[in-house]
Amino acid sequence: VYSPDYNITFMGLEKLHPFDAGKWGKVINFLKEEKLIADDLIVQAREATDEDLLVVHTRRYLNKLKWSFVVATITEIPPVAFLPNFVVQRKVLKPLRTQTGGTIMAGKLAVDRGWAINVGGGFHHCSSDKGGGFCAYADITLAIKFLFERVQGVSRATIIDLDAHQGNGHERDFMDDPRVYIMDAYNRYIYPGDGFAKRAIKRKVELEWGTEDTEYLQKVHTHVEGALNEFKPDVIVYNAGTDILDGDPLGGLAISPQGIVKRDELVFKAARSRRIPILMVTSGGYQKRTARIIADSILNLHSLGLLDRERAFIPVVNSDLNLAHKHLLK
């Protein structure tokens, strides 16, 4: 699931944040170069409307986003505070709303076809009434709530959050919800350090500075298997942040590109072997080589037969899209 509208470009302002604000388009270009996908195999994400966002977000929070200084704080790009809000809406928030719509649509596609990957999304620091850490909309919470409310047979979900940072947004949203099981592996010393949100984590894997492949992959394997044996979900949301990469300016871990590819493989194998639908979102990752690694991981999943073409790569015609859109993004 993707749209060219995912990418944030505005007079170079996006370069003031370490995030590569064009990485999503680069992933798609790499996959096209490798002949894995063509335009007719990409589901075009639609922008989430206010009505969609209000399934989770408070009106008060959405109104706050009409203040440019609030958006500047959330995205960690201070000059945004001085821009007229209509510009901020169009150049910063619309791409994030489109990625959010993509996550919601990918949730439905995952349940229908066994798996789906939103090339964007994974805004795991945003909760119903608070954004932060470059996350303005709670797309993971939204995708799960849409599935619970509008798709028959989906009443239990597991979030596997393997971004380098704690996923405090969805944790706050699902704090007392027994239908949602959260596994979170993160660098214990970095942002957000949200002690209250940690109470929602059913399987907490706190990592040390500079954790490397062998220890990391062993922990991921043990805890993903443990999580899925402990709680049988109807869908998995996999937050596949690549900010665990060695040298990432914010993640503080030391995982190799091959380690990231192997991590994604472990998660998909665990899901597919149990026939649990899986939705992957790409989340954080703050280096220029991140896009290539995400593409390589998707190519690896395909080469191992974990992305079965028969069910999943049926070209999505407009009627399918409209169905998904009507069903979720009314």
Side-chain angles (χ1 to χ4, degrees), residues 162-179:
L162 301 185
D163 184 275
H165 301 81
Q166 177 201 349
N168 60 322
H170 57 73
E171 287 159 11
R172 283 175 171 263
D173 286 336
F174 292 118
M175 178 66 69
D176 298 310
D177 193 331
R179 301 172 298 173

Side-chain angles (χ1 to χ4, degrees), residues 7 40 66 106 115 117 122 197-198 216 281 285 324:
N7 302 291
D40 63 342
K66 293 173 181 169
W115 67 273
I117 297 169
K198 285 180 187 179
Y216 180 76
V281 289

Side-chain angles (χ1 to χ4, degrees), residues 8-17 21 77 79:
I8 298 171
T9 50
F10 185 60
M11 290 166 44
L13 273 182
E14 69 280 0
K15 293 187 176 71
L16 296 173
H17 189 283
I77 306 173

Side-chain angles (χ1 to χ4, degrees), residues 145-276:
K145 290 221 166 164
F146 267 100
L147 290 173
F148 282 173
E149 291 175 16
R150 307 188 189 193
V151 178
Q152 209 169 359
V154 181
S155 60
R156 290 158 67 89
T158 290
I159 299 169
I160 297 174
D161 194 334
L162 301 185
D163 184 275
H165 301 81
Q166 177 201 349
N168 60 322
H170 57 73
E171 287 159 11
R172 283 175 171 263
D173 286 336
F174 292 118
M175 178 66 69
D176 298 310
D177 193 331
R179 301 172 298 173
V180 180
Y181 181 107
I182 298 172
M183 171 189 159
D184 198 348
Y186 53 88
N187 181 337
R188 66 165 77 220
Y189 300 109
I190 60 173
Y191 175 91
D194 189 335
F196 175 76
K198 285 180 187 179
R199 289 164 38 191
I201 305 172
K202 300 288 195 300
R203 193 168 278 260
K204 184 165 57 179
V205 186
E206 296 196 318
L207 303 168
E208 300 295 322
W209 288 111
T211 298
E212 295 181 357
D213 287 22
T214 305
E215 179 191 348
Y216 180 76
L217 292 171
Q218 182 263 319
K219 284 184 171 172
V220 167
H221 181 256
T222 300
H223 290 290
V224 167
E225 290 291 323
L228 295 177
N229 290 337
E230 199 175 300
F231 182 89
K232 304 282 188 280
D234 301 310
V235 67
I236 293 166
V237 179
Y238 171 36
N239 198 50
T242 42
D243 51 0
I244 63 170
L245 182 63
D246 188 23
D248 189 278
L250 300 180
L253 303 176
I255 310 305
S256 70
Q258 298 76 20
I260 290 174
V261 170
K262 185 68 182 174
R263 174 198 70 172
D264 295 349
E265 180 186 316
L266 288 172
V267 176
F268 266 75
K269 277 183 173 170
R272 303 312 309 271
S273 66
R274 291 170 171 81
R275 300 185 176 278
I276 304 168

